[in-house]
Amino acid sequence: KRAAFDDMGGEDQAQFNTFWEWEMYGKGKQEANDFYNGEKLISKLTSKLWPRRVKGDSIWLVEFYAPWCSACGNFVSQYKEISKLLENDNIEVAAVNCVKETEICSEWFTIQSYPTLMIVGSAERGTQQTYSQKESKSPHIIVEWARLIAAEWNWLYNQAHTENFGTELAFHQGVLNSEDLWFIVITDGVHCGPCRSTITNSLRLSAGVQGLAKVGVLNCEVPELHDLCFEKMEVPSPPFAPQVRIFKIGPKNESHSPGYIGEPLFNQGEIPNHLALQMAEMIARNALADRIPRSSLSVPRPDGYDGPNGEDDGPPEAPPPRPPPNWNGHDSSSQPKGVAWGGSTPGLNRGTHRIASK
């Protein structure tokens, strides 16, 4: 039985529901035990290791836990089984100890309860999907979900495109000087849970409106975008919830539409952004269906259709079919319910949920 307790991270730690209880017992003041020491299939991610490991198009299943959390302790053996089931998949498995890594848990991802399971991508991709604790804790069910999300992301990484504007000039040239319909996602950086959820959904939107509209991202943490974000678009001071603006079809430059800066697609307090983006895709596809160019139905071949001897060897291959979109939100209904960490509305006050100091 001692081995069973060790498997959960320690007999004493499996008995607590709050950080205060664990700390008062004495262990919390002396140590913050890692559940997965020595586990070859589960990487321990820290704020220093994260940018070196989670990069490019890599996809990670990450458990965010606290050593004092009994639910986390009970989940250890299941998470080890999950890592074994995913050993031969193109999905990395990792864990973050939120008592030690408060920056990751409270600022980067706004973790609200323990344990939280997420599929996450690199900062370059900005993708994130949360596993709802309403769902089964069966390792096989979780693995099936992880594979489903990873398959969709791999497709989106290759078939969808969002334009990242790094300067106000690039935004003016790309959006205001064009006659395309644009959806612009405005974020408070890339280390922001609600922002990552919205960026992930913007890839889904981009895939759905391909040939009809374009999708871009403005990261308001970038100094070159401060004037555009906070003065011209009147984005609230950080931290702020992500916003989405729609920019009309047709001319919208200064000479044609003086002072035009688009319109908010939705009110954050009235509708979750993932539902708004999902409706935006549906409306755009139905309202502009007659504008879908034939070229958007296939992916051009790099050789220009020519065979090895210069002859035309037929049309390009059609792209693989799009997996069903898994629209996800960063709101109370999509957050796992367990041991509460903070008390404010998810996504509205990033960086305010912090572990009590040791």
Side-chain angles (χ1 to χ4, degrees):
K1 291 186 176 180
R2 177 73 244 180
F5 283 127
D6 288 342
D7 208 37
M8 293 193 297
E11 178 179 2
D12 52 337
Q13 294 175 24
Q15 298 176 351
F16 302 112
N17 290 315
T18 67
F19 179 80
W20 180 86
E21 290 176 355
W22 185 58
E23 189 175 51
M24 290 302 101
Y25 188 75
K27 292 295 182 181
K29 293 180 178 179
Q30 302 168 14
E31 57 188 80
N33 289 354
D34 292 312
F35 285 176
Y36 302 103
N37 282 330
E39 287 295 319
K40 295 181 179 179
L41 299 179
I42 302 176
S43 300
K44 293 195 306 179
L45 289 176
T46 66
S47 57
K48 291 184 179 179
L49 279 176
W50 192 286
R52 300 206 300 266
R53 299 295 308 280
V54 187
K55 59 183 181 179
D57 287 347
S58 64
I59 296 174
W60 291 72
L61 172 65
V62 183
E63 179 198 359
F64 299 87
Y65 71 92
W68 50 262
C69 161
S70 60
C72 302
N74 292 331
F75 187 64
V76 168
S77 59
Q78 293 161 283
Y79 200 54
K80 289 179 179 180
E81 183 179 349
I82 288 168
S83 71
K84 293 175 183 176
L85 292 172
L86 291 173
E87 182 176 4
N88 296 318
D89 286 69
N90 193 25
I91 302 173
E92 302 286 346
V93 180
V96 175
N97 180 341
C98 288
V99 170
K100 290 183 175 180
E101 301 298 328
T102 56
E103 181 182 20
I104 293 177
C105 298
S106 65
E107 296 188 13
W108 294 8
F109 290 97
T110 323
I111 302 301
Q112 306 261 332
S113 57
Y114 300 120
T116 289
L117 281 178
M118 285 187 184
I119 298 284
V120 299
S122 64
E124 301 97 300
R125 287 296 186 179
T127 42
Q128 165 185 314
Q129 192 100 2
T130 303
Y131 184 77
S132 173
Q133 205 167 15
K134 297 176 183 178
E135 302 298 331
S136 169
K137 299 302 183 295
S138 161
H140 289 277
I141 297 297
I142 293 172
V143 166
E144 181 181 0
W145 169 79
R147 287 170 174 163
L148 181 71
I149 301 303
E152 185 200 12
W153 285 13
N154 283 321
W155 187 92
L156 290 172
Y157 288 171
N158 286 286
Q159 302 296 331
H161 174 72
T162 57
E163 190 72 35
N164 288 283
F165 297 104
T167 66
E168 184 173 347
L169 177 61
F171 171 78
H172 278 271
Q173 292 177 337
V175 178
L176 298 183
N177 287 343
S178 78
E179 297 193 4
D180 297 310
L181 174 66
W182 278 89
F183 296 96
I184 300 295
V185 175
I186 303 170
T187 74
D188 186 17
V190 293
H191 292 309
C192 154
C195 303
R196 294 175 69 100
S197 294
T198 305
I199 290 171
T200 308
N201 288 324
S202 73
L203 280 172
R204 297 180 175 114
L205 173 62
S206 174
V209 299
Q210 188 176 32
L212 299 174
K214 296 182 177 179
V215 180
V217 177
L218 289 176
N219 176 0
C220 291
E221 275 194 335
V222 176
E224 290 81 1
L225 293 173
H226 284 181
D227 184 65
L228 175 63
C229 291
F230 303 117
E231 299 298 328
K232 296 176 181 174
M233 292 187 175
E234 299 182 344
V235 174
S237 299
F240 63 86
Q243 301 182 7
V244 181
R245 283 180 173 259
I246 184 171
F247 290 77
K248 63 186 179 182
I249 290 178
K252 42 190 168 283
N253 54 30
E254 188 65 21
S255 61
H256 187 275
S257 302
Y260 180 74
I261 205 68
E263 299 178 62
L265 184 63
F266 61 95
N267 185 320
Q268 181 71 30
E270 295 178 354
I271 181 171
N273 60 50
H274 65 292
L275 294 182
L277 292 177
Q278 189 174 1
M279 289 191 296
E281 176 195 340
M282 186 181 303
I283 292 170
R285 291 188 64 83
N286 282 275
L288 305 175
D290 60 335
R291 300 193 181 194
I292 298 179
R294 296 182 61 85
S295 60
S296 70
L297 303 178
S298 62
V299 176
R301 282 177 44 173
D303 61 7
Y305 302 27
D306 290 338
N309 298 318
E311 71 276 9
D312 184 346
D313 60 345
E317 296 181 4
R322 178 185 179 182
N326 294 281
W327 298 91
N328 68 303
H330 197 90
D331 57 9
S332 57
S333 64
S334 67
Q335 290 303 305
K337 306 300 181 186
V339 179
W341 186 3
S344 66
T345 303
L348 295 183
N349 293 296
R350 178 169 69 90
T352 61
H353 307 281
R354 297 185 181 275
I355 292 284
S357 58
K358 292 186 279 185

